[in-house]
Amino acid sequence: MLSGSGAAAAGTAPWPALREELQIHPAGANRDGSPAWHICDPVRNLFFRIGWLEFEILQRWTAADAETIARQVGAATTLAPEPQDIAQFQGFLARHQLLRAVRQKAPMPAWRWLLNNYLFVRIPLVRPAQLLARLLPWLSWLFTRWFAGLSAAAALIGLVLAARQWDTVEANLRGALSWEGVLGFAGALIFSKLLHEVGHALVSTRHGVRVGHMGVALLVMWPMAYTDTGESWKLERSRHRFAIASAGIASELVLAAWCTFFWAFLPDGDLRNALFFLATTAWVLTLLVNASPFMRFDGYYMLTDALDFPGLHERAGQQARRCLRHWLLGLNEPVPETLSAGFRRFLIAFAFATWIYRLVLFVGIAVVVYHAFFKALGVLLFIVELGVFVGRPVFAELCVWRERRAEIPRRRRLGWLLALTAAALFVLVPWHAGISAAGVVKAGAEQPVYSPFAARLVSLDMTNGQAIAPGSELLTLDAPNQAEERDKARALATAYTRTARGALGLDDGPAAKLAVAEQLAVRWDAESRAREAELLRLRLVSTYAGQVRDVDPLVRAGTWVGPSQLVAMVVDGRRWRVEALVPERDRQRLSTTMPATVIVKGRTRKLEGRVVAIDNSPVKRLPHMLLAQDHGGPIALNPTLPKKDLRPAEAWFRVTVEGETDEPLSAVREVRVHFEGVRESLAHGWLDSALSVVIQQSGF
């Protein structure tokens, strides 16, 4: 037991006493061979590793004075501590609540506790120490070499046989995308993770470590089992702690090995499907999640025990922060601890990898949290997540830089001032005018050749690529029924005209017969002219000069064509039109008559044109399938609608650009259009985008 008391000198703060319930245990040796101990806090079930100097300080804590303790340690050992070393260790004890506080610490507000802990909450359920002690003798064969060898052989044989049945594996994976597959993976995940925690508990009990409790932890509101193996720090040998830390992964790998082995031999059925789910879940999640050393999962503790370097994240972070401050600010801080140059470089690289990994992970968690709740709360939690777990550590480091700004060399400060000024000018000055947009280019003038109504083709003299002059006849069509009706109407009109003339010489009722004959003559004459006008519509001529394209190969003399059948196209390729799509923010910076540069995909020559129209509402359908991502384009389609609808996932506005070129365009092509819009700063654009996303997604 550790205990301490002290008297305060006059006019100074009272010397703090150690908590009476603290315990100290030997912890083997450090990497440099020096002895180590663990301070055990039985109330919180926490352990803190200390070295020889800290142990000697604790042995003389009752001296109640930093200078006295430093002098006594120096006289009794080969150590040479300074009073500030005792003061630093006192701060360590105070930060970790190992001292008896003179004043009771105010309880943390509920909102602050929820803010710090809503991502990870532990709920203890059982205390399995006695049950594990009874089970261990019955399961001792699991820890034998022959079982490990058999499991390794089963894994090798199973993987080889699975590779030879890879088509079956792929079929099972595709079938797992159904609701039955999701439920199967969920059940396999629960079973494998329970076995994972039982493995930790059994190995802990085997090495004499008491398992305090087992329960459920909520990780981003997702339940997962956990086992309290905190007392493993009592073990002096790091290989024993490594065995406990790796027991969960080993259990899942053994499960995966035997499931893969039996799956390769069993016939199709529910049992084989269950083994497939268990094997896949154990192989994938164990290697991707639990084996990661960048979070405090099994992989981290395994690496810590393998290196025999407790507090790996914190100590590596200290080395990386010192290195970062030296690189960026020119600060020459004392080395946090004595390590070899190679191991120090490893710790620095590991710390930077951990920071990058956590940045990606926390951003991903923020996105998950955003989608897990309704919009307003999702946006709020997204901001809180990034602010607490990404912004707060960065802000804390910046505060340290600010406090130590007087230590930064003048040349380094001047360099950073110039760099920040340049960055501010780059972001705040409205120099950015360029707008780039995706689009498609088409011929500016296109004349589709259709028959106005059902007609028979008399002759077709057009061929693909043929040059057509304005007013040239394109097709010769004939409509026999229309011609017959026209001739019939002409004959009747002529007959009734003669009848009307003959009625003038009659004595009995000439006026009435004359009126009827004249009316019928006018009617049939009008129908004759109408039929003639319809037949004149069959004479199709070009309205402008161009080239013939897309002639229907099935159309030839004597065939009938309908009004919906495209016979050919007459295209003036020297005039072109581009339909480009821009987001709303860029649309506001554009105006008509603005020049535009068009770069056609696959061509080196640029096209110069002008904006002729800007839509005020977003497009409902892409101008061409070439712009869709599913066809190699840059614009994503709405995943909730059929692909054939070409409905974009976001709001895009059409900008029409027209121009002329000496070299005719031969087909519809994908292009990239560059505009010189109204100048805007990058900060303004970023702010507009952020506000639009917040307003749109929050539902305000």
Side-chain angles (χ1 to χ4, degrees):
M1 299 288 291
L2 292 174
S3 62
S5 63
T12 62
W15 186 258
L18 295 169
R19 287 170 45 195
E20 295 181 352
E21 67 274 15
L22 298 181
Q23 302 172 3
I24 191 166
H25 304 284
N30 292 316
R31 288 178 57 85
D32 57 1
S34 61
W37 290 264
H38 282 135
I39 300 176
C40 173
D41 182 355
V43 176
R44 296 179 295 164
N45 197 31
L46 295 177
F47 297 84
F48 303 90
R49 184 164 177 140
I50 61 175
W52 183 20
L53 174 60
E54 292 78 15
F55 177 76
E56 295 295 340
I57 293 174
L58 289 177
Q59 293 295 99
R60 295 163 179 80
W61 194 258
T62 55
D65 180 72
E67 294 185 0
T68 303
I69 294 175
R71 187 172 56 254
Q72 291 179 0
V73 172
T77 67
T78 57
L79 299 170
E82 298 292 337
Q84 55 265 32
D85 295 329
I86 284 79
Q88 291 178 359
F89 183 54
Q90 179 183 339
F92 167 82
L93 296 174
R95 285 194 304 272
H96 294 286
Q97 304 177 24
L98 301 177
L99 300 176
R100 278 192 289 177
V102 177
R103 183 174 58 185
Q104 187 68 23
K105 186 177 180 180
M108 182 182 295
W111 66 268
R112 188 171 180 181
W113 180 92
L114 183 62
L115 186 65
N116 291 330
N117 297 278
Y118 82 98
L119 286 180
F120 188 77
V121 180
R122 283 188 172 187
I123 304 175
L125 296 179
V126 295
R127 299 184 179 275
Q130 295 182 356
L131 177 62
L132 292 171
R134 295 194 188 100
L135 287 177
L136 189 61
W138 295 91
L139 301 176
S140 58
W141 56 273
L142 293 173
F143 306 99
T144 58
R145 292 183 178 180
W146 64 266
F147 179 73
L150 282 178
S151 299
L156 180 60
I157 296 173
L159 291 175
V160 170
L161 294 177
R164 298 182 64 180
Q165 305 178 54
W166 189 247
D167 54 342
T168 305
V169 174
E170 290 182 342
N172 287 338
L173 288 175
R174 287 192 295 268
L177 298 178
S178 62
W179 281 109
E180 294 80 1
V182 172
L183 293 177
F185 274 119
L189 179 63
I190 293 173
F191 180 82
S192 64
K193 292 307 172 185
L194 288 177
L195 184 64
H196 178 106
E197 300 305 325
V198 170
H200 282 307
L202 286 173
V203 177
S204 298
T205 305
R206 186 168 183 265
H207 288 286
V209 174
R210 183 181 64 90
V211 178
H213 50 79
M214 300 175 70
V216 175
L218 300 179
L219 180 62
V220 197
M221 310 308 294
W222 180 266
M224 56 183 296
Y226 80 94
T227 301
D228 178 21
T229 60
E231 293 191 13
S232 62
W233 292 109
K234 291 181 178 179
L235 301 173
E236 295 187 19
R237 296 184 178 182
S238 61
R239 64 185 184 92
H240 291 167
R241 296 194 299 271
F242 179 84
I244 295 175
S246 60
I249 292 180
S251 300
E252 289 196 73
L253 291 180
V254 169
L255 174 67
W258 286 105
C259 288
T260 306
F261 177 80
F262 287 117
W263 174 86
F265 291 99
L266 287 177
D268 291 336
D270 293 338
L271 179 58
R272 194 170 194 250
N273 291 336
L275 292 177
F276 177 81
F277 291 137
L278 286 172
T280 307
T281 303
W283 282 122
V284 175
L285 292 182
T286 297
L287 297 178
L288 293 183
V289 178
N290 291 100
S292 171
F294 301 120
M295 296 296 291
R296 290 187 181 273
F297 295 138
D298 293 344
Y300 167 73
Y301 294 106
M302 292 168 60
L303 182 60
T304 299
D305 293 326
L307 298 174
D308 195 15
F309 198 74
L312 177 60
H313 280 165
E314 293 78 7
R315 296 163 75 178
Q318 291 176 358
Q319 297 286 344
R321 282 190 292 271
R322 174 186 174 274
C323 186
L324 190 66
R325 293 166 187 171
H326 177 70
W327 288 344
L328 299 181
L329 307 180
L331 298 178
N332 293 317
E333 298 181 340
V335 179
E337 53 186 313
T338 304
L339 299 169
S340 65
F343 190 65
R344 182 179 294 109
R345 286 193 294 268
F346 164 76
L347 292 180
I348 294 172
F350 177 77
F352 280 112
T354 300
W355 292 343
I356 295 173
Y357 177 88
R358 290 187 175 184
L359 175 63
V360 175
L361 178 65
F362 288 144
V363 171
I365 291 176
V367 173
V368 171
V369 169
Y370 163 73
H371 288 288
F373 300 93
F374 58 90
K375 287 188 175 180
L377 182 58
V379 171
L380 176 63
L381 292 179
F382 180 87
I383 296 173
V384 168
E385 167 73 17
L386 293 183
V388 171
F389 296 99
V390 178
R392 186 169 62 178
V394 174
F395 179 74
E397 181 63 20
L398 293 178
C399 289
V400 174
W401 294 6
R402 182 177 179 275
E403 293 173 358
R404 303 185 58 183
R405 62 185 181 275
E407 305 176 30
I408 303 174
R410 184 176 179 180
R411 292 181 59 185
R412 190 66 61 93
R413 279 187 289 173
L414 181 60
W416 274 109
L417 179 61
L418 293 176
L420 291 176
T421 302
L425 293 175
F426 180 76
V427 173
L428 298 177
V429 173
W431 62 269
H432 178 62
I435 298 174
S436 179
V440 290
V441 63
K442 305 176 182 178
E446 295 180 343
Q447 180 185 356
V449 180
Y450 290 99
S451 174
F453 50 85
R456 183 177 58 191
L457 183 65
V458 177
S459 64
L460 177 65
D461 299 329
M462 295 185 302
T463 58
N464 285 323
Q466 178 182 349
I468 297 294
S472 301
E473 186 171 355
L474 302 175
L475 294 177
T476 302
L477 296 171
D478 181 24
N481 292 337
Q482 290 285 354
E484 291 177 3
E485 293 293 331
R486 179 200 60 188
D487 295 341
K488 176 182 177 181
R490 282 180 179 177
L492 289 173
T494 301
Y496 281 113
T497 300
R498 291 174 180 173
T499 301
R501 291 174 183 174
L504 293 175
L506 297 176
D507 296 333
D508 186 15
K513 293 181 179 180
L514 175 64
V516 172
E518 287 181 345
Q519 289 179 358
L520 290 174
V522 169
R523 170 193 168 189
W524 288 109
D525 182 62
E527 182 170 348
S528 173
R529 289 197 300 271
R531 298 290 183 179
E532 183 65 25
E534 284 291 296
L535 290 173
L536 288 176
R537 292 175 59 198
L538 295 178
R539 182 175 180 270
L540 303 179
V541 296
S542 62
T543 56
Y544 45 79
Q547 286 184 337
V548 177
R549 295 183 191 166
D550 302 330
V551 176
D552 190 343
L554 300 180
V555 174
R556 54 179 56 89
T559 58
W560 283 77
V561 293
S564 61
Q565 183 178 358
L566 178 65
V567 179
M569 291 282 292
V570 178
V571 177
D572 184 3
R574 293 171 298 177
R575 298 166 55 190
W576 51 264
R577 178 187 296 111
V578 169
E579 295 181 65
L581 299 180
V582 299
E584 183 177 7
R585 179 173 60 86
D586 290 338
R587 180 184 68 91
Q588 298 173 355
R589 300 168 52 204
L590 296 175
S591 61
T592 54
T593 72
M594 180 177 290
T597 301
V598 180
I599 301 176
V600 183
K601 188 174 182 180
R603 292 182 58 175
T604 58
R605 186 177 178 182
K606 299 179 181 179
L607 303 178
E608 300 293 338
R610 290 191 174 274
V611 177
V612 297
I614 303 174
D615 288 0
N616 293 322
S617 57
V619 297
K620 304 295 184 182
R621 180 184 175 87
L622 295 182
H624 199 277
M625 66 174 60
L626 287 175
L627 295 176
Q629 278 187 352
D630 291 12
H631 299 278
I635 298 178
L637 297 179
N638 191 327
T640 62
L641 297 176
K643 302 296 183 183
K644 61 183 180 61
D645 291 349
L646 296 181
R647 182 71 175 265
E650 300 177 356
W652 295 93
F653 294 81
R654 189 198 324 265
V655 178
T656 304
V657 179
E658 291 185 352
E660 295 185 2
T661 180
D662 297 334
E663 183 181 352
L665 296 174
S666 59
V668 178
R669 304 288 290 273
E670 181 184 350
V671 298
R672 176 63 60 173
V673 188
H674 297 278
F675 308 93
E676 286 294 324
V678 178
R679 292 187 178 274
E680 178 186 69
S681 66
L682 294 176
H684 185 270
W686 295 341
L687 182 61
D688 283 350
S689 298
L691 289 178
S692 64
V693 170
V694 170
I695 293 174
Q696 178 183 3
Q697 299 299 327
S698 62
F700 293 151

